[in-house]
Amino acid sequence: MSQQNDLPPGWIAQWDPTHQRHLFIETTSGHQQWEHPLETAGGPLDATVAPAPAPSGHGKRRAYAVGQTHAYDGAGEVAPYPDAAGYGAPVQPGMGGAPAPLFTPGLANDQFAAQQQAAQGQGYYGGSEQYPAQQPAYGQQQPMQYPPVNQLADQFGHMGLGGQKPFALHTANLVATPPNPLELLMPPPEIRLPPGASITDSPAANADPSYMRSTINVVPTTYQLLNKSKLPFSLVLTPHRTLKSAVNSSVDDPPVPVVTDTVIARCRRCRSYINPYVTFIDGGQRWKCCLCSMSNEVPQMFDWDQARNQPGDRWSRPELTSGAVEFVAPTEYMVRPPQPLVYVFLIDVSHAAVQSGMVATATRTILESLDRIPNDDNRTRISLIAFDTALYFFSLTPGSTETSMLVVSDIDDVFLPKPNDQLVLNLTESRAAVETLLGRLQEMFQDTQIIGSALGPALQAGFQLASTTGGKLITLSASLPTLGVGALKNREDPKILGTPKESALLQAGSPFYKTFAIECSRAQVSVDMFLFAATYTDVASLSCLPHYTSGQTFFYPGFNAARSEDAIKFAHEFGIVLGSQIGLEAVIRVRASRGIHMSAFHGNFFVRSTDLLALPAVPPDQNYVIEISLEETLTTPFVVFQTAVLHTTCFGERRIRVITLALPTTSNISELYASVDQIAVATFLANKAVERTQANKLEDARDMVQKYVTDILGAYKSNMTGGGGAAAAGLAIPTNMQMFPLLALGLLKHVALRQSSQIAPDLRAYAHSLLTTLPSQTLIPYLHPSFYSLHDMPPECGTIGDAGVILPPLLPLTSERLVKHGLFVIEDGQTIFLWVGRDSVPQLIMDVFNLPNYEALRGGKYTLPILDNPFSQRVNAIIGKIREMRRGPYYPALFIVKEDGEPPMRLWALSALIQDRGDQTPSYQQWLGQLKDKLNGSSYN
Amino acid sequence: MGGEGWLFLFAVLMAAALLFTSVFFIIMFSDLECDYMNPIDLCNKLNQFVVPENLAHAFLCLLFLLSFQWTALLINAPLLAYNVNKVVITKTHTFDATEIFRTLPQHKKESFIRLGFYLLSFFYYLYRMIVALISESE
């Protein structure tokens, strides 16, 4: 097609195999559209017709689908230019070398409506010009295709179709449509609430999907319907997500509005908080709870602006306009006065730890981060315990800035050598002492020859220090705990890897780590684990502590601070963890409309009662998945889910963060399928698979993933396509779930689950902990890495656009795209591989690496030099962008992979290309074949 | 009253005691479900009873073996094997507070099955005791 060439600057055309046409992308803004930019810009209208659906293998259904999507998405764009889009297509068939477009009644009608609309002069120009700026800041990769919900609703309203148009379900054939990674960047299916559901009609009435999203954006009215569809129903929560400036749009994440006047209206019966979906009755004197229909009194001060001491406007209160809101809680919500932030560092100072440079890097990072540790109220306290085969406490000598070291070598019965307040130092008052101590710690132990680690006793000591106030134990360990309680054995046995016995290695090796975790959770103590090991360190057991105390696990295999990449990665992540605004002493409860029940919980916390999650600390960007079951038939037109996180902020304020999500109900199975959020489903599946591995075996987890995919495909086939017949030739799936099978395959091929006898149990266990904690935005690339080609990227990539650095177009994950002279990036959010082809021209190597030729380049961890040439700067900009664009503390390390380099490195990088055939895993096409055979052979027909 | 009578009298009392432990377990589980109790206390409390309950049952089986009561032994053999597997071999008999909510339905089901089993065996022992007494008095 000629469309590639005659594009205005800043635009690229990307062939979209799904829709058999070019997708035009304005690279500076990320704006995407189907129409040729010259036409929509009001340029030469007769240049090319708007691409109309070309007849494809799936005949009418397909063409109809395109027409429909077009009418929805492009309505704002199509409408103003009836000449180009509306009339052009039918009147001038065959232009641009395209065959006569197949035209369907659906398309014609919708476009006709759109034209009518435009002809009536409803001012669409303004609307379509504004909307890129109004994009809801979803994640950072906001595609520009969908107008905001309310605007869309407006359009439907104007079109006379009513506010509640049923979801149009489009079926795709998986076998015939190659996966398009761009679809992973799409926002979830739109939530179409009945008109008037929200009393303020605010666009933010439903919280942003990054706070809370559901696997299905329409709730089935009965359990039978849900069961029939085989779709999982769960909520994916990240209540404390960080606010990051959105990458693909110029809009930053809006902060969560705070209600400061401590007027908290709650339902008397179900204890839910007032939200945009309640209704006011009795002239606004009472409100009706949207969860349980209870009528409640509106608090007296609700309409009073306490800040200005004058009557306020009820409708501007954040709890009525925003789905995500934070209340400042009065004393009734406190068991005790808000606790100060207490950090107890447990630092391994055995021979291995000192030699690897961990101690030096850690102390330097703490020293540099002292100003970033939240300490607004000057109450933050820190303490430091070093341990090898004994425990070393550091206490402040009264009246001096020096600390003295106290050695406790009795590790069987741990006691504190001094009272608590002399061991835990106030960061502001004892700043000098803390700094001297941190500066000297490395020196004190630098010649140590002691091997062995009393991690368990150190944890107990740390617990005694922190238990009265609650706090955080930050553990840095470089060897397997061998002494005292919690001693672990080296369970790793290469012979059992890849056999069913392997799964035992992924379960806790000592009951101590569970019982101690429970004690910690009770005393509001959270444990973070930073593990640095040259050899086996039993991540599976150690990560139990962060798991049940809502901490985080970080694992740096083969850490050596002499390699600057290792040191930078650790220092960066550790620094972010220290500086993050955590919540303390938290509980999470999710409430929902009557008939809906929370049945299972996944994530890092302790389940304290059937629906109450206890979190001693809430780190930002942690993901929780909650499974939902339907117990009664739902009769309301929409249902509401409300997550409340009661926590103490790190500046000593008790707050409740309330996140509300309303979803419409349906009794129509096709609407159910059309509203599936594949990202949320994949997140759910990853969590479920890890749970299954820990409770049973790896094989069971793999079977479960496989079963979910086959069940969904089978149910879709029998429910929606009428069983066998013509549909049997392909694999039918709703278009909004097209990437789901690939994501599931990515999960099956992931280090966490893959069938292999080569994967160290530590790596598996760490992958498990990541799968259950990463928010969707980071989890999806972890399952389905991003793949970019650098050597032939468009000239604007790597330069700064409106929304930061422009990334090259995403490629499908197959090694067919690798070329011998190329330079590629494969990244999964945890590691970045820079693949260098063997025939790379010396100029490219020179420009990027400052080396004479390919032979001079060495594989492995690498720091890219910033050179004085535009290409190097662009590559560095892209790498920098990849490192900072997602939420979470992770700082992916960069690896150079040479095409003919060391096989393990190469295989590791290639394992990220999940559409390819692996060692014992099928390629995507093969897998689809297997699924198809299974469906056709089973009783789904 | 002869040996057999005494044996089954003891078995009846034992079955009654076991019956009560099962009921106690079920009550505790429903307390947990209704949020009257937190999982940590529940597990600490119940874990004290698991091994004694299993020991009591094993002791009963031992008595049946020593007094050559093959039928009674045979009835109890499956449960004994299950208990031995759980306590001695896989060591999964303790309740885990971190997992309790996930495994609660299983635990309840198991407790109900035990309850049923003890109830049936209670009546069987009672019957055997009466038979033994009658045969003695004749």
Side-chain angles (χ1 to χ4, degrees):
Chain A
M1 289 261 238
S2 60
Q3 282 156 333
Q4 293 279 16
N5 304 323
D6 48 26
L7 283 169
W11 285 83
I12 52 165
Q14 205 165 48
W15 179 248
D16 183 353
T18 326
H19 296 102
Q20 296 292 310
R21 52 157 82 174
H22 280 94
L23 180 65
F24 296 97
I25 302 168
E26 190 180 7
T27 41
T28 45
S29 65
H31 176 86
Q32 303 172 357
Q33 61 182 43
W34 295 115
E35 288 77 19
H36 196 280
L38 287 178
E39 295 167 13
T40 45
L45 289 180
D46 56 345
T48 26
V49 265
S56 60
H58 341 291
K60 233 177 159 172
R61 184 186 293 279
R62 181 101 233 112
Y64 184 78
V66 173
Q68 286 274 326
T69 349
H70 194 157
Y72 290 169
D73 313 336
E77 290 153 39
V78 174
Y81 311 107
D83 290 339
Y87 300 130
V91 175
Q92 302 170 306
M95 283 287 283
L102 195 74
F103 216 69
T104 59
L107 179 66
N109 288 340
D110 284 348
Q111 291 203 342
F112 183 70
Q115 288 161 20
Q116 292 288 329
Q117 184 51 44
Q120 285 162 14
Q122 291 283 340
Y124 265 116
Y125 285 95
S128 68
E129 274 162 21
Q130 277 166 11
Y131 83 68
Q134 292 173 353
Q135 282 298 318
Y138 154 68
Q140 35 75 36
Q141 289 163 322
Q142 176 72 40
M144 291 286 131
Q145 209 169 359
Y146 295 91
V149 176
N150 56 340
Q151 193 180 333
L152 204 65
D154 277 357
Q155 286 168 11
F156 285 125
H158 288 307
M159 283 181 211
L161 293 170
Q164 211 182 1
K165 190 175 154 68
F167 273 100
L169 176 69
H170 309 301
T171 303
N173 181 355
L174 273 178
V175 180
T177 40
N180 178 4
L182 278 179
E183 296 203 8
L184 291 176
L185 310 182
M186 295 278 185
E190 173 214 332
I191 298 168
R192 289 190 203 148
L193 289 168
S198 136
I199 42 168
T200 47
D201 223 9
S202 149
N206 257 345
D208 188 89
S210 56
Y211 286 112
M212 168 141 86
R213 64 201 293 173
S214 165
T215 52
I216 34 183
N217 274 344
V218 166
V219 179
T221 45
T222 59
Y223 168 74
Q224 287 80 5
L225 183 62
L226 181 63
N227 217 14
K228 194 174 154 205
S229 73
K230 300 281 181 200
L231 292 169
F233 188 12
S234 44
L235 292 176
V236 176
L237 304 173
T238 312
H240 275 254
R241 58 149 218 197
T242 42
L243 303 172
K244 246 190 181 172
S245 49
V247 170
N248 274 356
S249 80
S250 42
V251 189
D252 290 357
D253 289 343
V256 177
V258 182
V259 181
T260 48
D261 58 7
T262 67
V263 175
I264 303 177
R266 293 181 71 177
C267 173
R268 273 183 298 140
R269 183 160 58 193
C270 68
R271 308 302 295 150
S272 66
Y273 297 80
I274 198 165
N275 59 62
Y277 300 97
V278 299
T279 38
F280 285 105
I281 46 178
D282 289 353
Q285 294 296 305
R286 304 180 74 81
W287 59 280
K288 202 171 123 200
C289 173
C290 54
L291 270 69
C292 66
S293 308
M294 177 87 177
S295 149
N296 298 282
E297 253 171 62
V298 174
Q300 282 184 340
M301 300 297 276
F302 198 69
D303 295 314
W304 187 258
D305 186 342
Q306 288 182 8
R308 293 202 200 84
N309 222 6
Q310 64 186 43
D313 176 16
R314 171 182 294 186
W315 305 108
S316 63
R317 284 188 73 94
E319 62 263 48
L320 294 183
T321 53
S322 173
V325 70
E326 206 161 78
F327 294 96
V328 175
T331 44
E332 297 93 84
Y333 292 85
M334 298 173 200
V335 185
R336 53 178 179 180
Q339 56 164 316
L341 190 59
V342 177
Y343 278 132
V344 180
F345 295 97
L346 307 174
I347 302 181
D348 184 353
V349 290
S350 63
H351 180 70
V354 176
Q355 281 308 303
S356 67
M358 181 276 276
V359 178
T361 320
T363 46
R364 207 178 52 237
T365 313
I366 303 173
L367 201 55
E368 284 164 4
S369 309
L370 282 181
D371 284 324
R372 296 168 61 198
I373 294 180
N375 190 18
D376 293 342
D377 52 359
N378 292 329
R379 294 199 305 159
T380 301
R381 292 194 263 164
I382 71 171
S383 176
L384 204 145
I385 300 173
F387 66 94
D388 42 37
T389 53
L391 307 182
Y392 308 91
F393 293 86
F394 300 90
S395 84
L396 184 70
T397 328
S400 99
T401 57
E402 287 293 301
T403 48
S404 52
M405 183 165 88
L406 304 150
V407 184
V408 173
S409 43
D410 177 11
I411 52 168
D412 293 324
D413 184 19
V414 179
F415 62 92
L416 297 178
K418 287 228 169 161
N420 227 329
D421 53 347
Q422 288 181 36
L423 295 170
V424 187
L425 311 177
N426 182 299
L427 185 54
T428 315
E429 289 164 16
S430 318
R431 179 67 179 255
V434 171
E435 283 181 6
T436 345
L437 170 61
L438 287 168
R440 283 182 43 220
L441 194 71
Q442 159 74 12
E443 262 172 61
M444 286 183 211
F445 295 97
Q446 66 183 345
D447 297 322
T448 184
Q449 293 299 324
I450 300 172
I451 295 171
S453 156
L455 178 63
L459 284 165
Q460 287 180 324
F463 175 74
Q464 290 183 26
L465 284 179
S467 59
T468 45
T469 44
K472 216 163 164 118
L473 305 184
I474 299 181
T475 313
L476 300 112
S477 162
S479 44
L480 190 68
T482 48
L483 292 163
V485 285
L488 293 166
K489 284 198 232 30
N490 187 347
R491 298 187 285 167
E492 187 178 29
D493 178 1
K495 281 198 287 283
I496 66 167
L497 295 185
T499 67
K501 281 189 187 147
E502 183 185 5
S503 306
L505 299 181
L506 301 171
Q507 286 146 9
S510 155
F512 169 76
Y513 293 96
K514 271 194 177 174
T515 49
F516 183 68
I518 293 169
E519 269 179 63
C520 284
S521 179
R522 271 199 146 171
Q524 304 293 352
V525 174
S526 162
V527 185
D528 277 354
M529 282 278 172
F530 289 80
L531 304 171
F532 310 80
T535 53
Y536 180 70
T537 169
D538 206 343
V539 176
S541 301
L542 295 178
S543 64
C544 263
L545 275 178
H547 184 176
Y548 296 112
T549 62
S550 70
Q552 283 167 290
T553 308
F554 293 86
F555 180 45
Y556 305 91
F559 180 81
N560 183 359
R563 268 199 308 263
S564 64
E565 292 83 14
D566 279 6
I568 291 173
K569 178 177 164 67
F570 163 56
H572 183 94
E573 295 178 357
F574 191 35
I576 289 192
V577 169
L578 290 178
S580 57
Q581 302 278 321
I582 58 171
L584 299 162
E585 238 183 300
V587 285
I588 297 184
R589 181 169 262 144
V590 181
R591 298 181 176 87
S593 299
R594 203 185 306 151
I596 298 174
H597 181 73
M598 311 294 144
S599 58
F601 307 90
H602 308 273
N604 282 7
F605 45 69
F606 176 65
V607 189
R608 202 154 68 191
S609 84
T610 37
D611 61 342
L612 189 72
L613 313 177
L615 300 93
V618 199
D621 297 321
Q622 290 273 299
N623 198 56
Y624 313 107
V625 173
I626 295 172
E627 287 177 49
I628 295 173
S629 59
L630 297 175
E631 296 191 327
E632 289 168 36
T633 302
L634 306 174
T635 48
T636 46
F638 67 95
V639 290
V640 178
F641 300 87
Q642 191 173 63
T643 306
V645 188
L646 176 61
H647 64 281
T648 306
T649 62
C650 44
F651 44 90
E653 204 167 52
R654 199 78 174 141
R655 285 188 174 192
I656 312 155
R657 180 169 285 205
V658 176
I659 293 160
T660 313
L661 177 73
L663 297 176
T665 55
T666 184
S667 55
N668 178 346
I669 197 163
S670 75
E671 274 190 46
L672 203 56
Y673 280 116
S675 71
V676 175
D677 178 354
Q678 53 185 351
I679 307 282
V681 176
T683 312
F684 157 79
L685 206 53
N687 278 274
K688 191 88 181 153
V690 172
E691 187 207 48
R692 188 57 66 90
T693 311
Q694 281 163 356
N696 298 315
K697 290 202 169 82
L698 277 168
E699 295 80 49
D700 298 326
R702 285 192 286 261
D703 291 348
M704 187 207 70
V705 173
Q706 187 104 13
K707 187 167 182 312
Y708 262 102
V709 180
T710 26
D711 278 359
I712 291 174
L713 288 173
Y716 187 73
K717 187 172 160 186
S718 58
N719 290 325
M720 303 310 301
T721 60
L731 271 179
I733 195 156
T735 43
N736 50 319
M737 282 186 87
Q738 266 183 82
M739 290 301 281
F740 170 66
L742 183 59
L743 289 172
L745 183 65
L747 182 59
L748 288 173
K749 290 188 170 191
H750 196 271
V751 168
L753 290 185
R754 186 166 63 216
Q755 164 74 44
S756 163
S757 54
Q758 307 290 325
I759 300 172
D762 276 353
L763 290 176
R764 273 215 210 270
Y766 183 54
H768 286 166
S769 105
L770 286 179
L771 286 181
T772 48
T773 54
L774 292 180
S776 297
Q777 185 201 38
T778 322
L779 179 75
I780 294 304
Y782 193 45
L783 297 177
H784 179 285
S786 307
F787 183 24
Y788 307 106
S789 136
L790 295 185
H791 62 285
D792 56 354
M793 59 181 170
E796 66 282 354
C797 295
T799 58
I800 312 253
D802 286 347
V805 176
I806 299 159
L807 290 174
L810 284 167
L811 299 178
L813 289 171
T814 151
S815 53
E816 287 164 22
R817 294 302 184 103
L818 293 171
V819 291
K820 277 189 192 160
H821 61 275
L823 181 66
F824 296 88
V825 166
I826 309 169
E827 61 93 15
D828 66 0
Q830 303 296 321
T831 34
I832 302 174
F833 298 108
L834 198 59
W835 172 283
V836 191
R838 74 174 84 185
D839 291 339
S840 309
V841 282
Q843 187 60 44
L844 180 83
I845 305 287
M846 192 71 207
D847 279 355
V848 180
F849 305 103
N850 200 19
L851 291 169
N853 53 33
Y854 175 73
E855 280 69 33
L857 186 65
R858 280 192 47 241
K861 278 184 191 155
Y862 200 83
T863 308
L864 273 189
I866 300 177
L867 303 174
D868 191 20
N869 69 67
F871 192 70
S872 162
Q873 283 158 10
R874 281 166 61 204
V875 171
N876 272 294
I878 289 170
I879 302 290
K881 167 91 166 188
I882 289 171
R883 281 184 168 149
E884 59 130 31
M885 69 181 174
R886 300 196 182 98
R887 296 194 181 92
Y890 303 100
Y891 183 85
L894 179 79
F895 290 84
I896 302 287
V897 187
K898 292 176 71 174
E899 190 183 350
D900 54 4
E902 299 158 31
M905 190 72 224
R906 232 182 61 229
L907 289 176
W908 184 20
L910 287 178
S911 72
L913 299 176
I914 53 173
Q915 289 183 32
D916 286 344
R917 212 169 81 86
D919 190 16
Q920 295 181 38
T921 47
S923 74
Y924 182 59
Q925 286 304 329
Q926 283 172 326
W927 197 57
L928 290 182
Q930 288 175 12
L931 289 175
K932 206 171 87 179
D933 292 347
K934 214 172 224 172
L935 287 190
N936 290 343
S938 74
S939 57
Y940 287 113
N941 281 338
Chain B
M1 204 152 78
E4 203 181 325
W6 280 114
L7 174 71
F8 280 102
L9 179 62
F10 180 71
V12 166
L13 296 177
M14 213 52 158
L18 290 171
L19 208 65
F20 279 118
T21 33
S22 296
V23 172
F24 172 67
F25 272 47
I26 291 167
I27 292 173
M28 294 301 266
F29 286 137
S30 39
D31 270 8
L32 180 70
E33 273 187 331
C34 303
D35 210 0
Y36 295 141
M37 194 162 201
N38 82 53
I40 306 168
D41 294 340
L42 174 107
C43 292
N44 290 342
K45 208 166 196 174
L46 291 192
N47 282 338
Q48 300 170 359
F49 289 92
V50 177
V51 175
E53 186 205 336
N54 289 343
L55 278 181
H57 183 256
F59 179 65
L60 197 60
C61 292
L62 185 73
L63 288 186
F64 288 140
L65 178 73
L66 294 179
S67 52
F68 308 110
Q69 294 292 343
W70 302 122
T71 337
L73 187 64
L74 209 66
I75 292 170
N76 281 289
L79 183 63
L80 184 69
Y82 175 76
N83 285 344
V84 167
N85 177 47
K86 209 162 105 168
V87 179
V88 183
I89 301 171
T90 57
K91 294 200 169 71
T92 48
H93 58 288
T94 48
F95 296 101
D96 181 349
T98 57
E99 303 273 313
I100 189 82
F101 284 106
R102 202 168 55 76
T103 47
L104 196 57
Q106 268 159 267
H107 291 317
K108 277 185 89 172
K109 200 167 135 196
E110 193 188 314
S111 295
F112 273 113
I113 292 173
R114 275 177 195 272
L115 182 72
F117 177 79
Y118 292 141
L119 199 68
L120 288 179
S121 52
F122 175 83
F123 286 114
Y124 174 71
Y125 301 148
L126 197 65
Y127 164 75
R128 288 294 303 268
M129 187 182 83
I130 294 165
V131 168
L133 291 179
I134 292 171
S135 66
E136 266 171 40
S137 60
E138 275 168 1

